[in-house]
Amino acid sequence: MPLAHLPKTDCRRVNRNSKTSRDCIVIGGGIGGLAAAIRLASEGKKVTIIEKNAHLGGKCDYLVRDGFHFDLGPSVLTLPFLLDELFAAAGRLREDYLAIEPVEPGCSYFFADGTRFDAPGTMDDFQKAIAEAFPSEIDGFRKFREHLQRLWEVSGPAYLFNPLGIKTLQSIPLRKAIRALPDLIPAKMENRLQKFFKDPRLIQLFSRFATYNGSDPKRTPATFNVVAHAELAFGSWRCAGGMYALIRALTKLAKELGVEVMTNTEVDRIDFRPDGSLDGVLTREGSKIKSPFVVCNQDAATAWSGSLLSQSRFSPRKSHRAAKIESSSSGFVFLAALNRKHEELACHNVFFSSDYDREFRDLFGPGQPLQNPTIYVSRPSCKDPSLAPEGKEGWFVLINAPSLQAFEHWDEREYAKAVTSQLVERCGLAEEEIEWIHFHGPRFYHEQYSAWNGSLYGPSSNTMRQGFLRFPNSSRRIDGLAFCGGSAHPGGGIPLVLLSGKFAATACSSYLEG
């Protein structure tokens, strides 16, 4: 089924046969790559983004058909101050490029026992809702909230907002570090939640935040409970015009700053001089673009195990190590164009599995497509009617899926039929409402975005090492190389890849000016 996209972004293109040297080449035009390019260009550096697809955005992609606009990637914006910071670094105001607004309720949760919890999008209102819906759990939630605040005060500066390193750890105020020590005792995410909550529904609700980085709450470190704080303390937001409006805004800013963009161009490999220093990139078409620095916005494991870094003398060792890393989960996306609106649902809805334990066994098992999955349903047109024809709406449905590392033999058409049955049985959908559907799974992410094993977030965070020691932004092996995106520090999701782009840009500036 052909995909009808919006008009291609109007980007200035570099001559494909040009050998002009650039200060920096960014491989991949995802959010992290755009963030890095914007920061470097705002410092006056000559930057080129090379993107293999027809438009920028990476997994923050879109599909338009018959008046329906679907975002294919992220559906929620969190930590919006990081986006404002990026525009400010370029001397601009975000609101001049992109309108955002909070989403209320933040999410509606549907449990297997038939209960529904409309969760507000801010911490204070969430606490009030807990007191009403789960009165016996309110004391536990207050303690959990205080626990999250202490985690945030340490993990924010120690891990999220700075590159990894001893200096970063030394910058944490001693008083806050000592106060948070009991909260940092190693444990698993779900086990820590059980110390605060008795109701299995709340444990299931907060365990869901492990899936924000494609991990298993029974195995991922308890520190990742802090993801709940990031969403509730700063709210859930949407972009006017759909999430791809964010990419259009970043692209416009990059153009204004002089960033050159090559689309429909795939980098075959990074080129090295005889002494091992970086010399630029070679495209699949055979053109060479010289540069002393490359920011890789491709999945780092893909880069090390594929052709991109094959000429590096470190490639055999790094490729071998990458093959052993457990990948995060992937996703099965199901888009449904409907001929009526479902006003009974919120903008964001989660229909929980009745067997959450089995869900994660199937994801990371040996894996298999989930038979009784947790279902996420987003209805963006309920907040922005322009995203669907009048009187109609589109559903973006996301179901966790094992990566290709765990399960390869997908029959996507048959699985789409199973998803349709689940939506009818559990989510209030009627088959006669459906005008058309589109679906794709892990193979799509692998082929379209070079996602390692088709995973959504690079390595899983199911171990302490993989959770906190992701691919570094500044390569420790190759001078002149940095990584950004979901596989690199500090991780996946819009706010974290914005930070990874910032750290990669800092590494580039330090190298070029050092």
Side-chain angles (χ1 to χ4, degrees):
M1 180 183 300
L3 303 187
H5 283 96
L6 292 173
K8 293 182 181 179
T9 306
D10 179 21
C11 301
R12 284 181 290 174
R13 301 173 64 85
V14 174
N15 185 324
R16 293 185 182 276
N17 297 314
S18 171
K19 295 187 179 181
T20 303
S21 180
R22 311 295 292 168
D23 292 324
C24 179
I25 293 170
V26 179
I27 301 174
I31 293 174
L34 276 164
I38 286 168
R39 289 181 179 274
L40 290 168
S42 68
E43 297 172 359
K45 295 180 175 59
K46 296 179 180 179
V47 184
T48 294
I49 295 176
I50 305 178
E51 167 59 49
K52 82 180 187 72
N53 293 319
H55 54 269
L56 304 183
K59 288 191 284 289
C60 190
D61 209 340
Y62 64 91
L63 168 68
V64 173
R65 177 179 166 188
D66 298 337
F68 291 89
H69 176 114
F70 290 96
D71 288 303
L72 301 182
S75 58
V76 177
L77 173 66
T78 56
L79 305 184
F81 62 87
L82 294 175
L83 189 59
D84 293 344
E85 180 195 48
L86 174 61
F87 279 88
R92 307 293 204 277
L93 293 173
R94 185 267 309 153
E95 50 266 38
D96 291 337
Y97 294 77
L98 177 70
I100 64 174
E101 63 180 26
V103 177
E104 286 293 345
C107 188
S108 289
Y109 295 97
F110 298 80
F111 298 96
D113 65 358
T115 57
R116 172 176 177 169
F117 177 55
D118 294 322
T122 60
M123 187 71 82
D124 288 341
D125 289 340
F126 192 96
Q127 180 168 309
K128 293 175 184 177
I130 290 287
E132 293 178 7
F134 304 92
S136 64
E137 299 282 358
I138 188 60
D139 289 340
F141 180 78
R142 290 194 184 101
K143 293 176 182 177
F144 183 59
R145 179 177 178 175
E146 293 169 357
H147 164 71
L148 294 182
Q149 180 65 40
R150 293 190 296 269
L151 281 181
W152 181 257
E153 290 175 351
V154 173
S155 65
Y159 181 74
L160 295 180
F161 301 127
N162 293 285
L164 290 175
I166 297 299
K167 290 184 178 179
T168 294
L169 295 175
Q170 292 173 338
S171 69
I172 302 171
L174 182 61
R175 177 180 58 83
K176 290 184 178 181
I178 292 175
R179 189 171 70 138
L181 279 177
D183 304 291
L184 297 171
I185 294 174
K188 303 305 180 185
M189 188 175 186
E190 186 179 278
N191 290 342
R192 185 63 52 81
L193 288 170
Q194 291 170 345
K195 292 184 177 297
F196 295 100
F197 304 111
K198 302 300 181 186
D199 194 309
R201 293 170 297 178
L202 284 183
I203 295 172
Q204 190 174 33
L205 189 158
F206 287 108
S207 291
R208 173 177 172 265
F209 286 100
T211 65
Y212 280 33
N213 60 19
S215 301
D216 180 353
K218 290 184 175 297
R219 297 168 58 201
T220 198
T223 309
F224 280 93
N225 280 313
V226 78
V227 177
H229 179 88
E231 182 165 304
L232 294 176
F234 301 97
S236 298
W237 299 74
R238 60 171 294 274
C239 298
M243 290 301 293
Y244 196 77
L246 168 61
I247 303 302
R248 290 196 294 270
L250 294 178
T251 301
K252 179 182 179 183
L253 176 57
K255 286 175 58 181
E256 291 176 356
L257 296 171
V259 175
E260 295 180 299
V261 176
M262 298 175 68
T263 54
N264 293 308
T265 304
E266 187 170 2
V267 174
D268 179 57
R269 69 176 188 270
I270 294 173
D271 201 26
F272 296 88
R273 299 185 182 92
D275 64 2
S277 60
L278 196 145
D279 194 37
V281 302
L282 290 173
T283 71
R284 294 280 183 190
E285 297 175 346
S287 299
K288 179 172 181 176
I289 304 174
K290 296 177 69 66
S291 177
F293 203 97
V294 170
V295 171
C296 179
N297 189 207
Q298 187 183 94
D299 189 293
T302 299
W304 278 114
S305 58
S307 67
L308 195 63
L309 286 164
S310 60
Q311 300 302 304
S312 166
R313 67 178 185 273
F314 303 108
S315 178
R317 185 191 315 167
K318 297 289 284 187
S319 178
H320 179 71
R321 289 180 179 177
K324 295 182 177 181
I325 297 173
E326 181 187 46
S327 60
S328 71
S329 60
S330 185
F332 188 86
V333 166
F334 181 98
L335 310 178
L338 307 181
N339 61 23
R340 80 170 183 91
K341 296 184 177 182
H342 281 258
E343 307 266 352
E344 75 278 10
L345 298 180
C347 184
H348 304 295
N349 307 270
V350 172
F351 296 83
F352 278 117
S353 166
S354 59
D355 191 347
Y356 215 39
D357 289 346
R358 179 178 177 181
E359 178 157 352
F360 290 99
R361 289 198 304 271
D362 288 347
L363 280 176
F364 296 102
Q368 63 175 323
L370 307 185
Q371 303 306 308
N372 178 27
T374 292
I375 301 172
Y376 170 70
V377 177
S378 175
R379 303 171 51 244
S381 60
C382 76
K383 298 293 184 181
D384 190 343
S386 68
L387 299 178
E390 185 175 356
K392 302 180 180 182
E393 70 178 27
W395 280 17
F396 169 88
V397 178
L398 177 63
I399 292 172
N400 290 326
S403 73
L404 297 174
Q405 183 186 58
F407 182 82
E408 291 187 73
H409 307 295
W410 281 86
D411 185 335
E412 294 187 357
R413 190 167 298 279
E414 285 301 311
Y415 194 64
K417 292 178 182 178
V419 170
T420 302
S421 298
Q422 289 283 316
L423 293 173
V424 170
E425 179 182 342
R426 299 166 54 194
C427 306
L429 183 70
E431 287 199 55
E432 59 267 22
E433 301 171 18
I434 302 174
E435 293 191 0
W436 54 265
I437 64 171
H438 168 83
F439 49 86
H440 57 254
R443 183 66 59 183
F444 173 82
Y445 296 105
H446 173 72
E447 294 175 353
Q448 186 76 4
Y449 312 117
S450 301
W452 183 60
N453 290 317
S455 62
L456 294 181
Y457 309 97
S460 76
S461 295
N462 286 336
T463 65
M464 191 72 72
R465 179 178 179 81
Q466 287 191 193
F468 295 103
L469 295 176
R470 302 179 75 80
F471 288 96
N473 305 110
S474 181
S475 173
R476 300 189 181 105
R477 299 291 187 183
I478 301 173
D479 290 338
L481 175 65
F483 292 95
C484 66
S487 66
H489 175 75
I494 291 176
L496 300 193
V497 297
L498 286 172
L499 287 168
S500 75
K502 176 182 180 179
F503 303 152
T506 299
C508 178
S509 294
S510 298
Y511 180 81
L512 295 178
E513 297 166 8

